[in-house]
Amino acid sequence: MIYINENFLKLQNSYLFTTVAKKVSEFQKNNPNKEVIKLGIGDVTRPIVPAVIEAMHKATDELSKAETFRGYGPEQGYDFLKQAIIDNDFKDLGIELDEIFVSDGAKSDCGNIVDIFCKNNTVAITDPVYPVYIDTNVMSGRSGDYNENNGMYENIVYMPTKKENDFVPELPKQKVDIIYLCLPNNPTGTVLNKKELKKFVDYAKENKAIILFDAAYEAFITEKDIPHSIYEIEGAKDVAIEFRSFSKTAGFTGVRCAYTVVPKTVFGYTKTGEKVLLNKLWNRRMTTKFNGVSYVVQRAAEATYTPDGRKQIMENIKYYQENAKIIKDGLNEAGFEVFGGVNSPYIWLKTPNNMKSWDFFDKLLNEAGVVGTPGVGFGNCGEGYFRLTAFSTKENTIKAVSRIVKLFK
Ligand code: PLP
């Protein structure tokens, strides 16, 4: 008899984006002449930049000739890309490291990393949260059951992140072993400064814990004193794994490329207290279960670091940053309480008159033809909040903001 992994049965179905899609398609069916503007899903809209396309064409041609053909590559990524990452993403910040694992996505890496940790570790996540962190821990048996009454999984430590604490999560009161931090944050668009992040690094050191640091939106940071990498914080190289992605930085959501840094100074422990390098375990995991990112895609990722590539991807990021500003300023002026949007493509707004997130969603869709994401879909503490993204066109962003402002005048 084939037994299943019953942890999967604990998972709550994520109705968030399916419910959003269903409501939108119903609205469109009933209102075929009304234009709907979507500021909901966190996917990019600007095309891949010319320098990257050129590199992909060149790499594709190389595969057509026996002399330059490539088969299986190193599971950890080609040296040319790893070196470009080290030189451009870390050396400029004064960070020395060389332990890069190239992959097909930060989502896969954030999800797969749990393979190397013991089932009995206690996990802390922020609330609201990027759902991958919690769901992958539920799947691998690191949570108890879902509690319908409070909307939380047992044995998971939730760190509320809301306006009452300036979106700075408090350190866990109890001892935890694995802490997920996403900065700049999805969904709130907020950040921690170096001092605030240092507290987490110190906590991890004291408790022999690990920080899983998701920096997928690092390219959107505009303010000084906001760390682009957790390794800018003293001591972090001993306690943190960092995830990065080309998805939002270079429009690779469909192309697929990301990387993870597992410094050779980060250790875990056996039950008998023996220290083990996490880098060794992750390397073993990747070489066993993953066959690397395609050569063409790695050449594409490398091209994002050339002078032309950098200039072109930064133009796209600037385009989204301007959209974020249009949303933030427009809603602020109209009297909304708005968070994020300065170091992030996400704008997190407090719904007026304490409206429930889904009520606000319905009102916006039905009366303004604008789609966003109800904050409660990311966790209990997201109730009464709403997420808008800066990834649409400038024209639609301006139109959507003016419709929202008019609706709530
Ligand atoms: N991490 C966060 C916080 C995200 O919001 C996303 C995508 O929306 C990802 C990771 C996924 O990145 P990738 O496309 O590299 O899998």
Side-chain angles (χ1 to χ4, degrees):
M1 175 140 41
I2 179 73
Y3 294 105
I4 59 156
N5 175 354
E6 291 193 22
N7 294 314
F8 277 65
L9 305 181
K10 293 181 197 161
L11 286 167
Q12 296 306 294
N13 281 329
S14 172
Y15 296 115
L16 183 61
F17 289 105
T18 41
T19 310
V20 167
K22 213 166 120 197
K23 282 181 181 252
V24 173
S25 89
E26 250 164 50
F27 176 82
Q28 283 180 314
K29 210 168 92 197
N30 298 333
N31 303 275
N33 298 323
K34 284 205 179 138
E35 177 206 35
V36 172
I37 302 176
K38 295 179 184 168
L39 305 185
I41 288 182
D43 196 1
V44 292
T45 50
R46 310 284 300 158
I48 303 288
V49 301
V52 170
I53 294 292
E54 203 181 301
M56 289 176 93
H57 281 303
K58 192 165 161 259
T60 308
D61 287 343
E62 283 179 46
L63 298 183
S64 72
K65 296 183 207 101
E67 313 83 72
T68 45
F69 168 75
R70 311 265 179 152
Y72 289 124
E75 290 94 341
Q76 304 86 346
Y78 284 104
D79 282 344
F80 62 77
L81 177 56
K82 293 201 291 180
Q83 198 56 51
I85 291 168
I86 291 163
D87 292 344
N88 293 281
D89 287 349
F90 296 101
K91 268 208 184 121
D92 289 352
L93 296 173
I95 300 164
E96 289 292 328
L97 49 78
D98 65 357
E99 304 98 334
I100 307 287
F101 293 86
V102 175
S103 78
D104 64 346
K107 182 179 188 177
S108 348
D109 286 354
C110 290
N112 292 329
I113 197 82
V114 299
D115 276 9
I116 67 170
F117 300 118
C118 172
K119 222 174 89 175
N120 297 335
N121 283 318
T122 305
V123 174
I125 54 159
T126 58
D127 178 5
V129 73
Y130 175 56
V132 173
Y133 312 149
I134 177 71
D135 287 357
T136 52
N137 277 291
V138 174
M139 285 174 186
S140 53
R142 230 164 265 110
S143 77
D145 286 333
Y146 182 75
N147 183 334
E148 296 281 353
N149 296 323
N150 65 11
M152 294 175 173
Y153 286 97
E154 284 158 10
N155 305 342
I156 297 287
V157 174
Y158 291 79
M159 301 181 288
T161 322
K162 41 192 182 178
K163 86 173 187 172
E164 287 76 11
N165 59 10
D166 282 332
F167 298 91
V168 178
E170 265 182 46
L171 290 172
K173 296 210 171 34
Q174 60 274 66
K175 202 167 148 35
V176 302
D177 308 300
I178 301 173
I179 303 170
Y180 286 85
L181 291 177
C182 174
L183 295 165
N185 189 261
N186 177 13
T188 66
T190 55
V191 287
L192 298 187
N193 63 29
K194 288 183 184 165
K195 206 171 140 201
E196 288 156 349
L197 186 54
K198 173 88 167 56
K199 287 186 191 163
F200 280 89
V201 170
D202 291 345
Y203 172 96
K205 280 201 124 172
E206 266 166 46
N207 292 282
K208 293 198 165 99
I210 181 117
I211 298 175
L212 301 178
F213 190 80
D214 186 347
Y217 297 97
E218 160 280 329
F220 291 84
I221 294 174
T222 59
E223 290 181 316
K224 277 194 185 149
D225 196 40
I226 304 303
H228 286 250
S229 164
I230 193 166
Y231 305 119
E232 289 178 66
I233 311 298
E234 196 199 326
K237 262 168 90 174
D238 297 331
V239 293
I241 288 175
E242 180 163 307
F243 305 97
R244 294 265 192 123
S245 171
F246 293 91
S247 283
K248 310 298 159 74
T249 310
F252 275 38
T253 52
V255 174
R256 310 303 308 147
C257 196
Y259 67 88
T260 289
V261 185
V262 190
K264 287 195 181 126
T265 36
V266 186
F267 290 89
Y269 298 85
T270 64
K271 284 198 185 92
T272 52
E274 194 190 330
K275 277 168 99 173
V276 179
L277 269 181
L278 294 186
N279 182 289
K280 199 174 131 192
L281 300 189
W282 185 241
N283 190 53
R284 190 70 169 88
R285 194 262 170 221
M286 291 302 268
T287 50
T288 303
K289 291 196 187 181
F290 185 60
N291 250 336
V293 175
S294 78
Y295 175 69
V296 174
V297 167
Q298 292 195 57
R299 282 293 185 199
E302 181 195 27
T304 66
Y305 295 110
T306 60
D308 279 351
R310 182 99 319 217
K311 190 168 152 272
Q312 292 163 6
I313 63 167
M314 285 320 288
E315 275 163 16
N316 280 350
I317 289 170
K318 202 159 156 251
Y319 181 94
Y320 297 133
Q321 284 170 330
E322 280 169 12
N323 284 349
K325 190 165 160 35
I326 290 166
I327 301 173
K328 194 175 172 82
D329 291 353
L331 296 183
N332 257 333
E333 270 168 39
F336 281 87
E337 269 189 286
V338 187
F339 308 94
V342 175
N343 298 296
S344 158
Y346 295 120
I347 288 89
W348 189 242
L349 62 97
K350 184 86 198 70
T351 59
N353 308 319
N354 284 324
M355 271 175 95
K356 296 263 187 203
S357 297
W358 277 110
D359 291 343
F360 186 78
F361 173 91
D362 288 335
K363 189 171 171 70
L364 225 55
L365 174 62
N366 295 323
E367 296 175 42
V370 175
V371 180
T373 311
V376 70
F378 298 98
N380 281 346
C381 291
E383 181 58 286
Y385 290 91
F386 200 75
R387 192 190 76 173
L388 294 171
T389 85
F391 288 125
S392 187
T393 61
K394 183 173 178 180
E395 297 71 39
N396 277 346
T397 304
I398 292 171
K399 220 194 277 181
V401 171
S402 83
R403 287 191 198 173
I404 300 172
V405 170
K406 202 166 140 206
L407 181 63
F408 286 93
K409 219 175 197 164

